[in-house]
Amino acid sequence: MTTTKKPTPYPRSPCLALTALVLLSALFFQWAFGTNKDYLWSNTKNVNRPIQYHGHGINSNFFEGWYFKLVKDNGSPSLPQNLHAMAIIVGIYRPTSESDQNGAHAFVIPLGLPGPEKVAYYRFSTDEFTDLASNVLSQDFRVQLGNSLFAHDEIVLDLPIDKFDRIPAEELESFYAVASSEYETQYQDSETSQPRKVPSGFFRDLFPSSDQLKVQEAQQPFAIKGHFRFPGKTQTPLPTSPLVPSIMGFIQYIPFLECNHGVSSLYHPIQEGRISTLDNKNTILATAIFDGGIGYTEKDWGINFPSTWVWTQTNIFKNVPGSSMLFSLASIPVLGPDATDWVKAKIPFAAPLANVPGRLMVYYHATTKTLYNFSSYMAFARIKHVGVTLNVDQRSQTLSVRATTIDPTNIFERVSLEFNVTREIGTGAPLRAPSRAKGAMVTAVEETILGHTSIKLWRVRSGEVIVEDEGIGSGLEIVGDIRWLEKRLKPWF
Ligand SMILES: *[C@@H]1O[C@H](CO)[C@@H](O)[C@H](O)[C@H]1NC(C)=O
Ligand SMILES: *[C@@H]1O[C@H](CO)[C@@H](O)[C@H](O)[C@H]1NC(C)=O
């Protein structure tokens, strides 16, 4: 007699039960002893509403921001200088201490602006921030800030001159010091043989000089008016289900994470879009038109930004238009930021376990309407390579990533995705981000929206290439200790 064993196609991970146990105990301790109960409650209550506002009833230790990327291609894809690329970020920030009422504010950061300066910061009081979608359960969000409106399908910008908040030269100076030392480290680590040794100060010199910063500091503030429409029915939201309420998958059910991520639309046409900068006499300084461009909308909320992260996003592809790629890899304090700080201080030998790299990685293939998901929470997804290299001669920085996952069209096949995103070093816009360590929003990110992406997706066994494509107008942020991310590739999480 022959017995046929039932095939078990994939091994079970013993780590999973242990992880669940650790997280459940962490949750118990957070509820019992944590100081952030409003935050835990909000995340629990809103688990199926990742796109909407989470800040009701939270008075400290919180931020939330929506990010709109708007790109108009005016030429051939090989001429990235013909791109108009903008990002508009709207958000609210509440510092760690509730008594720091000066620190709490709402803000708009437009970058890639036409006119005198590429990036600006508009600061509002938190009273001027209103959530207009507090009872909405769908993919819709709508917040008002002063006279401006930010929604899943529309932006109305009215940013008056008196809300213009000049970033001090000193703050930019210390950011450029950090950013250039990170380039320096990446340069020394680049595996490629470096053709020449760079002089000291080379990377700092890529950014505006101290004198230029002083001049900029004395420049006149400006106002902004604008209007963008991108109707809801033309958008590409991610599929959701009770188990997978957001891009973070079931991880969204952990309510004490330092930082959460949501995607509103991976791709949508901009039906109409126009933005102008204006001087103090209301004279238009410059205008950019985005009619027929392409948009992308996502958001973050939480207690703090990660200490180290990489983020990239592209949705303007040459061969398969409508497709979209999103990748984000961050250091995650697994037990929430407070408990993780405690572990680091009290049981230092356990510190390496307290921060793990977590990634979100999806590629949406427009022709077949297939979503390939390589995120860490996908049980059989694996990251194979992450690397950041500098090419000093070309003045470029490249993020290279390769990962595999199950083919969603055939569970017995695996697919591999590889991409390289390249940007010109030192040319991104300096952005403020929430910093728990400094108790304020501080300039911490060099953000590019003019990156170039090459991508390849193939079936591992047959070698069949599903897509080979080039993307432009790519967003790219690389912040913190990238070597740590490169080394800790294990898919713990
Ligand atoms: C990840 O991909 C799988 C299938 O490929 C899909 O069922 C799931 O909803 C995706 N998760 C998210 C957050 O989009
Ligand atoms: C990414 O860059 C590496 C190194 O230059 C190269 O071998 C690989 O083919 C590139 N992949 C894609 C998809 O462009």
Side-chain angles (χ1 to χ4, degrees), residues 54-333:
H54 286 62
H56 292 291
I58 304 179
N59 294 318
S60 62
N61 226 358
F62 180 75
F63 77 92
E64 183 149 17
W66 291 259
Y67 173 100
F68 301 84
K69 187 156 152 283
L70 308 147
V71 181
K72 174 76 202 287
D73 182 5
N74 292 313
S76 81
S78 60
L79 283 174
Q81 59 267 37
N82 262 345
L83 282 188
H84 264 321
M86 278 200 74
I88 299 174
I89 302 164
V90 59
I92 185 161
Y93 171 72
R94 296 186 185 275
T96 320
S97 144
E98 206 170 325
S99 57
D100 181 6
Q101 280 313 320
N102 283 335
H105 67 283
F107 59 87
V108 179
I109 310 174
L111 67 110
L113 282 170
E117 294 177 64
K118 264 203 311 199
V119 55
Y121 197 88
Y122 291 84
R123 184 184 175 111
F124 294 77
S125 94
T126 51
D127 300 340
E128 290 170 280
F129 180 97
T130 315
D131 173 25
L132 300 175
S134 49
N135 296 313
V136 170
L137 268 173
S138 64
Q139 285 280 339
D140 302 358
F141 68 88
R142 199 163 284 267
V143 299
Q144 189 179 343
L145 185 54
N147 290 327
S148 299
L149 175 80
F150 301 87
H152 62 285
D153 57 353
E154 185 172 25
I155 306 174
V156 179
L157 282 180
D158 183 357
L159 305 171
I161 253 176
D162 64 339
K163 304 292 183 192
F164 186 99
D165 184 26
R166 169 70 62 198
I167 310 237
E170 202 185 328
E171 180 180 330
L172 290 169
E173 191 77 73
S174 37
F175 166 64
Y176 290 139
V178 173
S180 46
S181 83
E182 286 175 5
Y183 275 137
E184 183 75 49
T185 313
Q186 290 164 25
Y187 170 68
Q188 279 159 8
D189 287 358
S190 286
E191 287 160 32
T192 52
S193 58
Q194 293 292 338
R196 67 188 168 96
K197 193 106 194 79
V198 298
S200 87
F202 175 86
F203 293 105
R204 175 60 188 86
D205 290 346
L206 298 170
F207 297 113
S209 69
S210 304
D211 289 341
Q212 284 167 329
L213 290 178
K214 294 260 161 53
V215 171
Q216 188 182 308
E217 196 171 35
Q219 269 171 17
Q220 291 298 319
F222 51 89
I224 290 180
K225 286 202 170 67
H227 189 196
F228 296 85
R229 278 181 355 107
F230 27 91
K233 58 179 187 302
T234 62
Q235 301 192 355
T236 315
L238 285 170
T240 54
S241 64
L243 251 185
V244 185
S246 83
I247 178 81
M248 308 218 310
F250 60 85
I251 303 294
Q252 191 68 78
Y253 279 93
I254 304 175
F256 52 79
L257 293 177
E258 178 179 47
C259 187
N260 303 273
H261 202 71
V263 171
S264 172
S265 170
L266 287 172
Y267 175 98
H268 45 257
I270 301 169
Q271 196 173 64
E272 53 179 304
R274 164 186 292 262
I275 184 166
S276 301
T277 43
L278 302 99
D279 69 9
N280 56 3
K281 300 195 180 65
N282 249 353
T283 310
I284 290 180
L285 298 167
T287 297
I289 309 272
F290 287 81
D291 297 3
I294 289 168
Y296 166 78
T297 311
E298 66 164 38
K299 67 171 295 204
D300 290 298
W301 76 97
I303 298 167
N304 193 24
F305 260 36
S307 52
T308 289
W309 82 90
V310 172
W311 169 91
T312 186
Q313 181 279 334
T314 307
N315 63 359
I316 307 182
F317 283 104
K318 195 161 73 181
N319 299 336
V320 192
S323 299
S324 186
M325 191 267 288
L326 167 66
F327 173 77
S328 135
L329 177 66
S331 150
I332 299 174

Side-chain angles (χ1 to χ4, degrees), residues 43-59:
N43 279 342
T44 307
K45 199 170 53 177
N46 291 308
V47 73
N48 284 305
R49 309 173 70 243
I51 301 306
Q52 289 97 358
Y53 181 51
H54 286 62
H56 292 291
I58 304 179
N59 294 318

Side-chain angles (χ1 to χ4, degrees), residues 238-239 244 246-249 362 371-373 377-378 408:
L238 285 170
V244 185
S246 83
I247 178 81
M248 308 218 310
V362 293
L371 182 71
Y372 296 89
N373 195 334
Y377 56 77
M378 299 290 289

Side-chain angles (χ1 to χ4, degrees), residues 398 400 418-420 454-456 458 468-470:
T398 301
S400 305
E418 180 179 84
F419 67 79
N420 297 320
S454 60
I455 192 167
K456 185 175 161 187
W458 70 95
E468 227 171 337
D469 216 337
E470 303 280 318

